[in-house]
Amino acid sequence: MVSPSALLTLLFATGFAVHAACLSSAPSNEFVEVRPQLWRYNGEFAFIPSPAQRTPVAVWLVEVKSSWILIDTGAASPEYKDPFLAALKRKLSSSISPLLLILLTHGHLDHAGLLPWALDEYPEVPFAVHEAEKPFVTGGQQYQQLKGDTWTFTLGKYYMPKLNASLPTSRQIVLTGSTGDVSSFASWVPKGLLTFHHVPGHSPGQVAFFHHSTKSMVTGDVITNMATSFPVSRNGKIKCDNPFLMPTHMYHDMKKSQQTLAKIGGVETYFPSHDDGTGVSNADFQSFVGAQKDEL
């Protein structure tokens, strides 16, 4: 007889195959400047141990005068960790500018899994997380404790790995409110460089960061931009879509958060964390959100 845990693993392995749909484009293994002073590392993370299920996971560096801000820290898995950490060290060592701040879009392990390593490697650097995400990043709460509004999350949350909350809260900056300037929480950051926007649904305290000078919105997992071919082709059409459903605890809130981002003026490109391309244009994002309005 098949055990419940084995059945659940098979179910969500199949679910990811359908949703991720393909191998991602080849990882760069380097930080690439996708917009002036906005750099992206796009590595690959295997949600399950199969090459066909590797999906891109982006981490960002924002250049700020004589310093750097890191957005997210990537996945704590062998196929992602070693290439990413090497690329980060190469990038920072090639510049005399230090890393001064880490910002988290949310606490899921594919985006914040290497935070403990980053805090050890850069012992003077603080990290910032939204107040609604804080319980999961440093408070010991697990995403499995959340109630969801879909059967996908209700079953799938038990497949999610548990978090390690042994992080130094003395170095934690807590972002509060629905939106704000990052400079209000880290005074050395130039005013108007980055604003955050609370976009819950995929996780309670997920935030997106708007890089004003390049009109770029780093969206976290509000959306994805991945190839649609199934099951292993890299040649499928890339399109804007919803985030992975299994870790999305409140689908309705996630759809509202897409609407929230669509109403923010001045954005030219939306950069999801899972992106087989180089961002989503404003026109494509507005078209996607407009087509989803009947779900609210």
Side-chain angles (χ1 to χ4, degrees), residues 10-248:
L10 177 61
L11 173 64
F12 285 100
T14 304
F16 272 122
V18 173
H19 194 85
C22 64
L23 282 167
S24 68
S25 55
S28 64
N29 288 336
E30 297 291 347
F31 278 90
V32 176
E33 192 171 21
V34 293
R35 295 291 184 272
Q37 300 183 315
L38 181 64
W39 300 72
R40 181 180 75 169
Y41 177 87
N42 210 26
E44 286 190 331
F45 172 58
F47 285 103
I48 63 173
S50 165
Q53 296 313 308
R54 290 189 177 182
T55 188
V57 179
V59 172
W60 306 86
L61 276 171
V62 180
E63 210 170 340
V64 190
K65 295 182 178 178
S66 58
S67 57
W68 295 95
I69 296 172
L70 182 68
I71 300 179
D72 285 343
T73 61
S77 62
E79 76 282 352
Y80 192 97
K81 178 181 178 181
D82 294 338
F84 165 67
L85 297 182
L88 180 62
K89 288 182 177 180
R90 282 194 299 271
K91 185 62 187 169
L92 295 180
S93 65
S94 69
S95 167
I96 60 172
S97 303
L99 178 66
L100 292 184
L101 179 63
I102 298 169
L103 301 172
L104 295 182
T105 59
H106 60 300
H108 288 171
L109 285 182
D110 51 332
H111 305 278
L114 293 176
L115 181 60
W117 173 90
L119 296 178
D120 287 342
E121 185 74 12
Y122 304 98
E124 304 300 320
V125 176
F127 65 98
V129 62
H130 192 268
E131 59 185 333
E133 201 76 357
K134 175 185 172 184
F136 306 94
V137 176
T138 58
Q141 189 170 338
Q142 300 293 331
Y143 292 108
Q144 289 90 339
Q145 296 172 260
L146 291 170
K147 293 183 178 180
D149 63 359
T150 67
W151 70 266
T152 317
F153 178 79
T154 300
L155 294 178
K157 65 182 180 180
Y158 298 106
Y159 187 75
M160 297 173 69
K162 291 190 175 181
L163 305 175
N164 177 5
S166 58
L167 298 173
T169 56
S170 61
R171 292 164 61 188
Q172 180 177 240
I173 296 171
V174 180
L175 306 175
T176 58
S178 60
T179 187
D181 197 306
V182 172
S183 67
S184 299
F185 301 87
S187 59
W188 66 269
V189 177
K191 186 175 182 180
L193 175 77
L194 286 168
T195 52
F196 73 87
H197 301 271
H198 183 210
V199 282
H202 184 69
S203 76
Q206 180 172 240
V207 292
F209 292 101
F210 186 30
H211 188 234
H212 287 260
S213 63
T214 63
K215 301 180 180 179
S216 301
M217 185 72 75
V218 176
T219 69
D221 282 357
V222 177
I223 54 171
T224 58
N225 188 44
M226 296 181 63
T228 58
S229 51
F230 178 82
V232 294
S233 171
R234 294 175 183 266
N235 300 318
K237 181 180 179 181
I238 297 172
K239 73 168 189 175
C240 181
D241 204 347
N242 290 319
F244 297 121
L245 296 182
M246 187 269 279
T248 300

